[in-house]
Amino acid sequence: MADLESFRREVRDFLADNLPDELRVGNRPDLPEEPLRKWTAALAERGWFTPEWPVEYGGGGLDREQTAVLRGELRAVRAPVESPAGVRLLGATLLEFGTEEQKRQHLPGVARNAVRWCQGFSEPGSGSDLASLQCRADLDGDEYVINGSKIWTSGADEADWIFCLVRTDFDASKHRGISLILFEMDQPGIEVTPLELIDGTAHFCQVFFDDARARADQIVGPLHGGWTVAKRLLQHERTTDSATHGDIVGESKETIVELVKREVGMNNGVLADAVLRERLAAHEIDTRALDLTMQRAVEEVSAGHRGRDIGSVGKFRWADMMKAEHDLAMDAAGSGGLGWEGPGFEPAQLERTREWLFSRAHSIWGGTDEIQKNTIAKRVLGLPE
Amino acid sequence: MADLESFRREVRDFLADNLPDELRVGNRPDLPEEPLRKWTAALAERGWFTPEWPVEYGGGGLDREQTAVLRGELRAVRAPVESPAGVRLLGATLLEFGTEEQKRQHLPGVARNAVRWCQGFSEPGSGSDLASLQCRADLDGDEYVINGSKIWTSGADEADWIFCLVRTDFDASKHRGISLILFEMDQPGIEVTPLELIDGTAHFCQVFFDDARARADQIVGPLHGGWTVAKRLLQHERTTDSATHGDIVGESKETIVELVKREVGMNNGVLADAVLRERLAAHEIDTRALDLTMQRAVEEVSAGHRGRDIGSVGKFRWADMMKAEHDLAMDAAGSGGLGWEGPGFEPAQLERTREWLFSRAHSIWGGTDEIQKNTIAKRVLGLPE
Amino acid sequence: MALTLSEDQQLLRDSARSFLDDKSPVSRMRALRDERDATGFSRAVWKVMADLGWLGIQLRAEHGGSGKGLREVAVIMTECGRVLAPEPVLSTLLLGANAVRLSSNEALKGDVLPAVAAGQRLIAFALEETGRFDPYAINTAAVLTADGYCITGEKRYVLDGHTADQIVVVARTSGAAGDRDGLTLFFVDADTDGVEIVRTTMMDGRNAARVGFAGVDVGADRLLGNAELLDRVLDEATLGLAAEMVGMAEEAFERTLEHLKEREQFGVKIGMFQALRHRAAEMFAELEFARSLVLDGLSAVDEDRDDISLSASAAKTQANKAARLIGAEAIQMHGGIGMTDELDIGLFFKRLRAADITLGDASYHLRRFASLKGY
Amino acid sequence: MALTLSEDQQLLRDSARSFLDDKSPVSRMRALRDERDATGFSRAVWKVMADLGWLGIQLRAEHGGSGKGLREVAVIMTECGRVLAPEPVLSTLLLGANAVRLSSNEALKGDVLPAVAAGQRLIAFALEETGRFDPYAINTAAVLTADGYCITGEKRYVLDGHTADQIVVVARTSGAAGDRDGLTLFFVDADTDGVEIVRTTMMDGRNAARVGFAGVDVGADRLLGNAELLDRVLDEATLGLAAEMVGMAEEAFERTLEHLKEREQFGVKIGMFQALRHRAAEMFAELEFARSLVLDGLSAVDEDRDDISLSASAAKTQANKAARLIGAEAIQMHGGIGMTDELDIGLFFKRLRAADITLGDASYHLRRFASLKGY
């Protein structure tokens, strides 16, 4: 405990030295560029983007308690901490399945946030049936030739590398012929098209491969054994997405409580609308329950009392919670929530509307609600199939 | 229209002559016996228990408009009109599938409410999978010998006859070996045991057949073709149950609106609890929508614009509605709704508690919610199987 | 009380459907949106609607109409809903012109209604001032002057306000925001001095405006009525909008059913998954309930029953409930592709929610229903 | 904040479970109900619970206890919930005795608590006067007399009131029904003149009473505290009850899962139907959420955090939500047989709903949560 307190002081000193006030506003899209770059570099140098990774791969080498202290302090001062797909998903997967060469080649770049990664899993025809993917990799000497298409690839237009599921054995059953392979995005034969969503933005891209190339030694995990690797990666996605929603929502923004209070007004210290009041309380309790349940799941998984599939509960309830929050915001705002662009609405109102629209994606990406419930029924509850 | 008005006057005259004031309180369990018997006999004599049936089978021979007038007038004066299973289900089925002899033998007794019928469909092992029934009928001369068991048979302890689904062909596929047969309950080889439910009452019985006997000419519809007859009968059940819930609920009792007002209290002309107020309004709107939808379905089915499977919507939404009403009553009553028997609670409170418990059956009997939704998905929406 | 369409009404529906499918598929609304079209709808289509007799369908013959009922307007709105037609049917017909039609200002009727029927006049309805729908929460003031009134205030979410030739404005001649008493409806030319119109772009591609009244003088002959008129106009518009929602929800549901029948996952059509089948059955039930309550509400108006307001609130409550369920499930069941702007289903999702909020969400109508029922 | 049980707590849970499975299966509660047993629970089992150290588990050593926390009481209550044990743990331990334990009346503690720990004293808690839970809606009056107070009023739904040796009664010394100020807790012997107890039979087989106070004199030395004490007692009891509900819901859920795995329809196990599978996943999620909030609330008490009331209301809200869903689905998924009294699942259904209503339904706790959060 004493050590932990001295570590806390170390973090606070670091923050005092490296985090200017203008950045202490949470993850906002409009942060000043140069200070952000400097802060990010300082954080990366300590390995604190990836605090739990070993130092030799660019990590911070911290234990779980220290990591918790670090995260708590960062949150307390509203430090902007981007959490790119590379760190959250690829890192954990490479640590578990990568060769020593792969780790040394890729992890430091991820840890310094110097190399941007994107994920090539879904395909237009595959949807929830991920294993039905058709994107193929044919061996040609010491390289694979990649052909096909990936969809829902966020950040593909800015990524340096992609971790991509491809079919390497065309005769095996659908789950047994898949490999996870890494290759560079900046090469001939790769085309990226942004996908406009119902919220009017392009969070995702579609990527087309026409004889793109990947080195054969960039396959992660066993050849044709990529399905196991991918499933593990998706578990990470489910756990981290639901555990870190606080970061995703963005802390500097008006909270849902503040929003409802402002839109609906107070009456003798009580929200003027009794029905929205109960909905708001129910939403806050749900959020609390989700946070606690994910914390507990982490404790129980670590202690070996549970399998990782419990993350599926977090994923679908997180989606429920996000949708409920945005529905609540919309209902509190009334027609004020129906603006799209231009004059007549506050920028914050327009942003809320678009976030409401985007919130519908939460129960689809990263495994639909239906897939999560299938997983719980089968793996957690042991119902027959 | 003029004819309809003169018919309305005829009904009113009849009511003035035959329905004493003490009976103008709706379907209550505690009505005075002798006046009730007289009233029922008068109604039966006119054929008005079964107003739409042909006169030769003991019906009233009325057309649809006249029937509507009659029902409206009966309802307006809160006339008690028992609606036994015989009238609602067997009657319609015999009219459609019965031989002339069967109609002449059975319908007048049903119409006069003189012969009581029960329904032998479900079996302990069959549940929703009705066609998996095992109760068997073996031909022995001009009689069938019945062996097996039926469950959820309401009124079996008081019934004179049973209409019963039995297996007559043991080699055919499960839907093709079933027949609907009629036989008397008062015979050796039939034993009836009441089934106590969670509400503490025994609405249903289990019936055991040990070499019971039925005449071979009492099969309704084709031999081995009972499944088609049964399905039609269940459609009638779904339509009439959801269309006539007003009668079932009992009109003289405190309505849910009155109950909530009394329990929760009013404040400036508005229910003192804003959340229960919205729930109550939602419930009333649901009830209204259900009534209108069933009326519309009848119009559309008559006009040939729809198949009868629309009744499945009525059945599961009716169950939802009944459960919602009783949940609302419970929530309005608080701990006052938790009594079981004895002192400390009003009789009406105890009755409500038991009705709440019984309300859970509505989404189970007559085809579970799940079966209704399967039917809608397949027959109405045409989803692939 | 007819819960099914008459033969004439079915013919009207069929001809409306075939016209709209042909001349106004969803792609038309999408193109207007993408081009940020200044009008936001097609004046040519509006003219054809007039020629087809739709715009005067519920007006008396002397005003160029064919003397039908609200049900006929609703038949057209349902069909417009199916293709998301952006023409100002709700705003001009059921809000603006209807306020004139239902008023006792005969002079104004003679001037305005024939022009509306001919498709030559667009009328907006300037009511709302707050985010959540609350038709009596009016601060806009109308002060008595020598020859009429002077109106000052700001209105928001005025549907199709940017193209209106004339505006019905709800202002307060006495009392305070929240009072029903003291509300008065005036008829104002959009080009009167002091009227300021700023177009706003709505998420569902509809067109609306903020309309400011900076001391706008209006003659005493431009007075339409009081809160009683307001309530009646809103009831009829609410039912019309609910009918439009039934059309939108029906189309979104049918497109979703098609997707369930076509899309394969894990080697089978996804419509074979029981969880989705059961949810589809729920969607169907909500839609049928909405349809019934809307038809009943339309009958209430056309038969002048005494439960018009009650029926309107019941219908909108249920239309909103169906819209919310079907909108959400339409996206969810389409999966990732349903989240893309490329597919039309997202347009239905947005329009359904916007219509849900417009003229009162479920909570508003539940409370109104409760009040009308005396609790 | 520990969200998992410590090793000691796991041992306690395991030994409680094995004792209760052995000596107190659900059939014991059923037999007591069917026989309309005058006591309604087993004094012999109660004695064993005392011998096992359960009844003094959160009492100090000087009072015959072992000085553990609320979490240990909750572990026992969860296990009692799994077998629907009818013993007066909630009423005597977490309501009656806890009001004494949490008071500053040291003399009374010395007299009462050791006897409770030994299983020799039953104490009821007479609070409610209205149907819907509202702990400040108290009309029962305590009027100052020469040597104490005189209490007049009538209490309902007093859990296990019919067997109580002593009764904690919440009465009003000032103010009007609804006020928090003016509430005072007194400790009254059940055999005092003027105390009238009528046993009531509850639908879940629990035991309760109406307790009348017809001018009951109580000494000034029997005063326990005011509304602050009341709130704290209710918070701890609410958490204990929520823990019991987790046990009941867990058992009902597991029995339902077993049914899904065994029952065949249409030639397959019904647990293979996707609609049921998805609903089972929802039940599981609600149960896990309830478990988390209950564990967190127990930590709040044992660590004396400043959000005890907030956590208690959050936990009860979610326990109620889980109870309602799991109770309803347990019956529905069992089908017809689930409606029969023969099967135990109906007993869980009734007890879950009764517990849901007891000490406040979801609406009550949502409002309390909102107030505590300042909105």
Side-chain angles (χ1 to χ4, degrees):
Chain A
M1 277 313 242
D3 283 357
L4 223 50
E5 280 317 299
S6 86
F7 177 69
R8 188 184 302 278
R9 276 191 303 278
E10 186 186 331
V11 173
R12 289 187 180 170
D13 290 346
F14 169 80
L15 290 171
D17 292 347
N18 292 286
L19 184 64
D21 285 351
E22 60 187 327
L23 292 181
R24 297 182 179 224
V25 290
N27 285 330
R28 296 178 63 105
D30 54 351
L31 295 172
E33 229 170 272
E34 185 51 25
L36 183 62
R37 199 198 51 73
K38 268 189 164 166
W39 151 249
T40 304
L43 200 65
E45 190 171 337
R46 295 294 284 258
W48 286 356
F49 258 116
T50 51
E52 288 188 278
W53 291 11
V55 176
E56 65 261 40
Y57 304 133
L62 305 187
D63 62 23
R64 233 176 58 203
E65 284 77 19
Q66 289 174 317
T67 304
V69 166
L70 174 65
R71 293 228 161 98
E73 293 296 319
L74 288 170
R75 198 180 280 228
V77 298
R78 300 183 150 193
V81 183
E82 244 191 283
S83 179
V87 177
R88 290 194 290 124
L89 304 177
L90 178 67
T93 309
L94 272 182
L95 277 172
E96 186 169 349
F97 293 98
T99 62
E100 190 56 32
E101 287 74 18
Q102 288 170 344
K103 291 182 199 174
R104 290 194 181 278
Q105 180 185 356
H106 296 297
L107 290 178
V110 173
R112 285 197 320 278
N113 204 17
V115 178
R116 285 156 306 180
W117 286 82
C118 66
Q119 169 182 319
F121 277 27
S122 292
E123 299 182 6
S126 67
S128 289
D129 186 8
L130 185 57
S132 69
L133 60 91
Q134 298 298 324
C135 187
R136 59 188 292 149
D138 295 272
L139 194 61
D140 176 28
D142 58 356
E143 286 189 339
Y144 280 97
V145 182
I146 320 281
N147 281 287
S149 169
K150 292 288 173 183
I151 199 167
W152 313 124
T153 303
S154 50
D157 44 348
E158 296 182 328
D160 303 304
W161 282 72
I162 184 168
F163 53 102
C164 191
L165 285 178
V166 292
R167 193 160 294 285
T168 42
D169 182 344
F170 311 100
D171 302 322
S173 71
K174 75 176 181 179
H175 293 90
R176 292 175 190 277
I178 294 171
S179 302
L180 180 69
I181 194 164
L182 319 177
F183 52 94
E184 282 168 286
M185 287 292 284
D186 182 17
Q187 58 167 303
I190 298 187
E191 202 184 315
V192 175
T193 319
L195 263 180
E196 188 176 335
L197 296 191
I198 59 172
D199 66 344
T201 62
H203 299 267
F204 299 104
C205 300
Q206 187 162 0
V207 185
F208 300 91
F209 306 113
D210 180 13
D211 286 343
R213 295 201 156 242
R215 271 174 37 208
D217 62 7
Q218 294 292 340
I219 284 184
V220 181
L223 179 65
H224 312 323
W227 184 245
T228 311
V229 184
K231 273 197 305 183
R232 190 51 168 273
L233 194 146
L234 289 174
Q235 285 173 335
H236 284 296
E237 188 173 12
R238 278 158 208 179
T239 320
T240 51
D241 281 338
S242 37
T244 60
H245 68 89
D247 299 336
I248 295 169
V249 168
E251 299 193 18
S252 66
K253 204 159 53 178
E254 184 181 50
T255 66
I256 184 70
V257 174
E258 291 160 356
L259 181 146
V260 175
K261 276 178 161 176
R262 181 177 50 70
E263 293 282 3
V264 174
M266 301 286 282
N267 216 332
N268 290 325
V270 161
L271 265 180
D273 186 304
V275 176
L276 286 183
R277 182 173 177 235
E278 285 199 13
R279 268 177 69 187
L280 181 59
H283 171 67
E284 285 214 289
I285 291 172
D286 251 9
T287 308
R288 200 175 163 104
L290 176 62
D291 283 347
L292 291 165
T293 302
M294 287 298 102
Q295 279 178 43
R296 188 160 63 82
V298 170
E299 287 182 28
E300 290 174 350
V301 170
S302 315
H305 294 152
R306 263 193 202 279
R308 288 178 175 276
D309 294 301
I310 188 72
S312 289
V313 169
K315 171 65 174 68
F316 90 81
R317 292 300 299 243
W318 179 74
D320 284 351
M321 192 268 291
M322 291 297 283
K323 290 196 283 187
E325 173 164 326
H326 287 291
D327 274 333
L328 186 51
M330 286 289 280
D331 287 335
S335 291
L338 301 181
W340 183 249
E341 62 184 13
F345 294 92
E346 301 295 319
Q349 286 182 313
L350 298 174
E351 199 184 331
R352 271 280 179 188
T353 306
R354 302 213 180 205
E355 283 175 0
W356 168 71
L357 286 162
F358 184 69
S359 75
R360 315 314 303 191
H362 296 314
S363 49
I364 297 172
W365 60 243
T368 62
D369 273 12
E370 288 80 6
I371 294 292
Q372 310 303 339
K373 289 179 190 173
N374 288 346
T375 302
I376 295 165
K378 179 176 176 181
R379 307 253 174 223
V380 182
L381 306 180
L383 289 172
E385 267 199 323
Chain B
M1 277 313 242
D3 283 356
L4 223 48
E5 280 318 300
S6 86
F7 178 69
R8 189 184 301 277
R9 277 192 302 276
E10 185 187 333
V11 174
R12 289 186 181 171
D13 290 345
F14 169 80
L15 289 172
D17 292 346
N18 292 285
L19 184 63
D21 284 351
E22 59 188 327
L23 292 180
R24 297 182 179 224
V25 292
N27 285 329
R28 296 180 62 105
D30 54 352
L31 295 171
E33 229 168 273
E34 186 51 26
L36 182 62
R37 199 199 51 73
K38 269 189 162 162
W39 152 248
T40 305
L43 200 64
E45 191 169 339
R46 295 295 281 260
W48 285 356
F49 260 116
T50 50
E52 288 186 278
W53 290 10
V55 175
E56 65 261 42
Y57 304 133
L62 305 186
D63 62 24
R64 233 173 60 202
E65 283 76 20
Q66 289 173 317
T67 303
V69 166
L70 173 65
R71 294 228 160 98
E73 293 297 320
L74 288 170
R75 199 179 280 230
V77 298
R78 300 183 149 194
V81 183
E82 244 191 284
S83 179
V87 177
R88 290 195 289 123
L89 304 177
L90 178 66
T93 309
L94 272 181
L95 277 172
E96 184 168 351
F97 293 97
T99 63
E100 190 56 34
E101 287 75 17
Q102 288 170 343
K103 291 183 200 175
R104 292 196 178 277
Q105 180 186 357
H106 295 298
L107 290 178
V110 173
R112 285 197 321 277
N113 206 15
V115 178
R116 285 156 305 179
W117 287 83
C118 66
Q119 168 182 321
F121 276 28
S122 293
E123 299 182 6
S126 66
S128 290
D129 185 8
L130 185 57
S132 70
L133 61 90
Q134 297 298 324
C135 188
R136 58 187 292 147
D138 294 272
L139 194 61
D140 176 28
D142 58 357
E143 286 189 339
Y144 280 97
V145 182
I146 320 279
N147 281 286
S149 170
K150 291 288 173 183
I151 199 167
W152 312 124
T153 304
S154 50
D157 45 348
E158 297 183 329
D160 304 305
W161 282 71
I162 186 169
F163 51 103
C164 192
L165 285 178
V166 291
R167 192 160 294 285
T168 42
D169 182 344
F170 311 100
D171 303 319
S173 70
K174 74 177 181 180
H175 293 92
R176 292 176 190 275
I178 295 171
S179 301
L180 180 69
I181 193 163
L182 319 177
F183 53 94
E184 281 168 286
M185 287 292 284
D186 182 17
Q187 59 166 304
I190 298 187
E191 202 182 317
V192 175
T193 319
L195 264 180
E196 188 177 336
L197 297 191
I198 59 172
D199 66 346
T201 62
H203 299 268
F204 298 105
C205 300
Q206 186 162 1
V207 185
F208 300 90
F209 306 113
D210 179 14
D211 286 344
R213 295 204 156 240
R215 272 175 35 210
D217 62 8
Q218 294 292 338
I219 284 185
V220 180
L223 178 65
H224 313 322
W227 184 244
T228 312
V229 184
K231 274 196 304 182
R232 190 53 168 273
L233 194 146
L234 289 175
Q235 285 173 335
H236 283 298
E237 186 173 14
R238 279 158 207 177
T239 320
T240 51
D241 281 338
S242 38
T244 61
H245 69 88
D247 300 333
I248 295 170
V249 168
E251 300 193 18
S252 66
K253 204 160 53 181
E254 185 183 47
T255 65
I256 184 68
V257 174
E258 290 160 357
L259 181 146
V260 176
K261 275 178 161 176
R262 183 178 49 71
E263 293 283 2
V264 174
M266 300 287 282
N267 217 333
N268 290 326
V270 161
L271 265 180
D273 186 304
V275 175
L276 287 182
R277 182 173 177 234
E278 285 198 14
R279 268 177 68 186
L280 181 59
H283 172 67
E284 285 214 289
I285 291 173
D286 252 11
T287 308
R288 199 176 165 102
L290 177 62
D291 284 348
L292 291 165
T293 302
M294 287 299 101
Q295 281 179 42
R296 187 160 63 81
V298 170
E299 287 182 28
E300 290 174 350
V301 170
S302 316
H305 294 152
R306 262 195 203 278
R308 290 179 173 275
D309 293 301
I310 188 72
S312 289
V313 169
K315 171 64 174 67
F316 90 81
R317 292 301 299 244
W318 180 74
D320 283 352
M321 191 269 291
M322 291 297 282
K323 291 196 285 186
E325 172 162 327
H326 287 292
D327 274 333
L328 186 51
M330 286 289 279
D331 287 336
S335 291
L338 301 181
W340 183 250
E341 62 185 13
F345 294 91
E346 302 295 319
Q349 286 182 314
L350 298 174
E351 197 184 333
R352 271 280 179 187
T353 307
R354 302 213 180 207
E355 284 175 359
W356 168 71
L357 286 163
F358 184 70
S359 74
R360 315 313 303 191
H362 297 314
S363 48
I364 297 171
W365 59 244
T368 62
D369 274 12
E370 289 79 7
I371 294 293
Q372 310 305 337
K373 290 179 190 173
N374 288 346
T375 302
I376 295 165
K378 180 176 174 179
R379 307 254 174 224
V380 182
L381 306 181
L383 288 173
E385 268 198 325
Chain C
M1 180 178 53
L3 289 167
T4 48
L5 296 183
S6 70
E7 249 175 72
D8 279 356
Q9 288 158 351
Q10 288 176 38
L11 281 176
L12 176 64
R13 179 195 62 196
D14 296 344
S15 77
R17 187 171 301 187
S18 96
F19 166 72
L20 290 166
D21 280 350
D22 188 28
K23 296 289 188 263
S24 174
V26 175
S27 57
R28 186 172 70 87
M29 173 263 166
R30 176 185 286 278
L32 288 163
R33 181 199 69 163
D34 289 348
E35 293 158 9
R36 291 177 167 68
D37 183 89
T39 305
F41 65 90
S42 158
R43 289 189 188 268
V45 169
W46 188 247
K47 186 70 183 66
V48 180
M49 288 179 169
D51 295 344
L52 288 167
W54 294 3
L55 305 188
I57 201 156
Q58 67 171 354
L59 299 179
R60 296 204 301 264
E62 60 183 290
H63 296 137
S66 47
K68 304 286 188 193
L70 184 60
R71 184 177 289 236
E72 279 75 12
V73 182
V75 163
I76 290 162
M77 291 188 77
T78 298
E79 296 309 313
C80 286
R82 289 184 68 108
V83 298
L84 302 179
E87 275 61 38
V89 180
L90 178 67
S91 58
T92 284
L93 252 53
L94 282 188
L95 288 166
N98 220 23
V100 176
R101 184 181 75 89
L102 292 166
S103 78
S104 47
N105 191 328
E106 295 298 330
L108 216 47
K109 287 187 206 181
D111 169 43
V112 171
L113 299 181
V116 167
Q120 291 155 353
R121 195 76 62 88
L122 298 175
I123 309 178
F125 193 75
L127 167 67
E128 293 178 73
E129 301 179 10
T130 53
R132 300 186 81 198
F133 187 70
D134 189 352
Y136 306 154
I138 300 302
N139 274 308
T140 295
V143 179
L144 200 64
T145 61
D147 21 71
Y149 292 85
C150 177
I151 300 176
T152 307
E154 194 180 15
K155 298 291 184 178
R156 305 183 187 188
Y157 323 118
V158 179
L159 290 176
D160 304 303
H162 66 306
T163 51
D165 302 306
Q166 289 164 320
I167 301 171
V168 174
V169 56
V170 183
R172 181 168 291 291
T173 43
S174 68
D179 294 348
R180 183 171 183 270
D181 288 344
L183 293 178
T184 308
L185 280 67
F186 297 94
F187 194 76
V188 178
D189 292 324
D191 58 4
T192 313
D193 278 353
V195 174
E196 262 182 281
I197 300 178
V198 179
R199 180 180 179 182
T200 53
T201 306
M202 309 300 276
M203 71 156 183
D204 60 339
R206 282 181 316 160
N207 311 293
R210 285 205 176 200
V211 181
F213 296 87
V216 174
D217 286 315
V218 49
D221 57 338
R222 292 302 190 90
L223 213 141
L224 292 172
N226 58 17
E228 204 174 321
L229 174 64
L230 173 63
D231 284 348
R232 179 59 180 258
V233 169
L234 288 178
D235 280 336
E236 296 197 12
T238 297
L239 282 163
L241 178 57
E244 187 185 345
M245 291 173 77
V246 165
M248 295 187 283
E250 188 174 79
E251 181 70 21
F253 181 50
E254 284 174 12
R255 287 175 184 228
T256 304
L257 281 181
E258 279 315 302
H259 183 76
L260 293 180
K261 290 174 188 173
E262 278 166 18
R263 171 77 165 170
E264 286 194 16
Q265 293 270 274
F266 305 103
V268 299
K269 307 287 186 199
I270 61 173
M272 292 173 66
F273 290 114
Q274 197 195 33
L276 300 186
R277 297 167 76 85
H278 281 199
R279 281 154 54 191
E282 293 276 3
M283 292 158 78
F284 176 70
E286 295 294 356
L287 181 58
E288 289 299 313
F289 272 30
R291 199 190 306 279
S292 302
L293 287 169
V294 168
L295 285 164
D296 178 59
L298 297 169
S299 294
V301 171
D302 288 342
E303 295 164 13
D304 203 21
R305 281 179 5 213
D306 58 7
D307 65 343
I308 291 174
S309 296
L310 198 74
S311 321
S313 280
K316 186 62 160 55
T317 300
Q318 179 61 29
N320 286 356
K321 194 173 166 211
R324 212 163 266 218
L325 180 72
I326 291 173
E329 288 285 26
I331 298 282
Q332 182 68 24
M333 289 182 175
H334 273 85
I337 198 77
M339 278 298 295
T340 63
D341 186 62
E342 194 183 325
L343 224 69
D344 287 340
I345 203 73
L347 301 176
F348 283 91
F349 176 69
K350 293 181 206 179
R351 181 80 190 95
L352 280 168
R353 180 60 70 100
D356 169 340
I357 302 279
T358 301
L359 299 181
D361 64 10
S363 201
Y364 171 81
H365 284 288
L366 284 169
R367 289 166 203 200
R368 185 159 179 262
F369 183 93
S371 294
L372 291 165
K373 284 286 229 169
Y375 58 84
Chain D
M1 181 176 54
L3 289 167
T4 47
L5 297 183
S6 69
E7 250 175 67
D8 279 356
Q9 288 158 352
Q10 289 176 37
L11 282 174
L12 176 64
R13 179 196 62 197
D14 295 346
S15 78
R17 186 171 302 186
S18 97
F19 166 72
L20 290 166
D21 281 351
D22 189 28
K23 296 289 189 260
S24 175
V26 176
S27 57
R28 186 172 70 87
M29 173 263 166
R30 175 185 287 278
L32 288 163
R33 180 200 70 163
D34 289 348
E35 294 157 11
R36 291 178 165 67
D37 183 89
T39 305
F41 65 91
S42 158
R43 289 188 187 269
V45 169
W46 188 247
K47 187 69 182 63
V48 181
M49 287 179 168
D51 295 343
L52 288 167
W54 294 0
L55 306 188
I57 203 157
Q58 67 171 356
L59 300 177
R60 296 205 300 265
E62 58 183 293
H63 296 136
S66 47
K68 304 286 188 194
L70 184 61
R71 183 177 289 233
E72 279 75 13
V73 183
V75 164
I76 290 163
M77 291 186 76
T78 299
E79 295 310 312
C80 286
R82 290 185 68 108
V83 298
L84 302 178
E87 277 60 39
V89 181
L90 178 67
S91 59
T92 284
L93 253 53
L94 283 188
L95 288 166
N98 220 22
V100 176
R101 183 181 76 88
L102 293 165
S103 78
S104 48
N105 191 328
E106 295 300 328
L108 216 48
K109 288 186 203 179
D111 169 44
V112 171
L113 300 180
V116 167
Q120 292 156 352
R121 196 78 62 86
L122 298 175
I123 309 178
F125 193 76
L127 167 67
E128 293 177 72
E129 301 178 9
T130 52
R132 301 184 82 199
F133 187 70
D134 189 351
Y136 306 153
I138 301 302
N139 276 309
T140 296
V143 179
L144 201 61
T145 61
D147 21 72
Y149 292 85
C150 178
I151 300 177
T152 306
E154 194 180 16
K155 298 290 186 179
R156 305 182 187 189
Y157 324 118
V158 178
L159 291 175
D160 304 303
H162 66 304
T163 52
D165 303 305
Q166 289 164 320
I167 300 171
V168 174
V169 55
V170 182
R172 180 168 292 291
T173 44
S174 69
D179 294 349
R180 183 171 183 270
D181 287 345
L183 295 177
T184 310
L185 281 68
F186 297 93
F187 194 76
V188 178
D189 292 324
D191 58 4
T192 312
D193 278 355
V195 175
E196 262 182 279
I197 299 178
V198 179
R199 180 181 179 180
T200 52
T201 306
M202 310 299 277
M203 72 157 182
D204 61 340
R206 282 182 315 163
N207 311 293
R210 286 206 175 201
V211 182
F213 296 87
V216 175
D217 286 315
V218 50
D221 58 338
R222 292 302 190 89
L223 213 140
L224 291 173
N226 57 16
E228 204 174 319
L229 174 64
L230 173 62
D231 285 347
R232 179 59 180 258
V233 170
L234 289 178
D235 280 336
E236 296 197 12
T238 296
L239 282 163
L241 178 57
E244 188 185 345
M245 292 172 76
V246 166
M248 296 187 285
E250 189 174 79
E251 182 69 21
F253 181 50
E254 283 173 13
R255 288 177 184 226
T256 304
L257 281 181
E258 278 317 301
H259 183 75
L260 294 179
K261 290 173 188 175
E262 278 165 18
R263 171 76 166 173
E264 287 194 16
Q265 292 271 273
F266 305 102
V268 297
K269 308 288 184 196
I270 61 173
M272 292 173 67
F273 291 115
Q274 197 195 34
L276 300 186
R277 296 166 76 84
H278 281 198
R279 282 154 53 191
E282 292 276 5
M283 292 158 79
F284 177 69
E286 295 294 357
L287 181 58
E288 290 298 313
F289 271 31
R291 201 191 304 278
S292 301
L293 287 168
V294 168
L295 285 164
D296 178 60
L298 297 168
S299 294
V301 171
D302 288 342
E303 295 165 11
D304 204 22
R305 280 179 4 213
D306 58 7
D307 64 343
I308 291 174
S309 296
L310 198 73
S311 321
S313 281
K316 185 62 160 56
T317 299
Q318 178 61 29
N320 287 356
K321 194 173 166 211
R324 211 162 267 217
L325 179 71
I326 290 172
E329 289 284 28
I331 298 283
Q332 182 68 24
M333 288 183 176
H334 274 86
I337 199 74
M339 277 299 295
T340 64
D341 186 63
E342 195 183 325
L343 223 68
D344 286 340
I345 203 73
L347 301 176
F348 283 91
F349 175 70
K350 293 181 206 178
R351 181 79 190 96
L352 279 168
R353 180 60 69 100
D356 169 340
I357 302 280
T358 301
L359 298 182
D361 64 9
S363 200
Y364 171 80
H365 284 288
L366 284 170
R367 290 167 202 200
R368 186 160 180 261
F369 184 93
S371 294
L372 291 164
K373 283 286 228 172
Y375 59 83

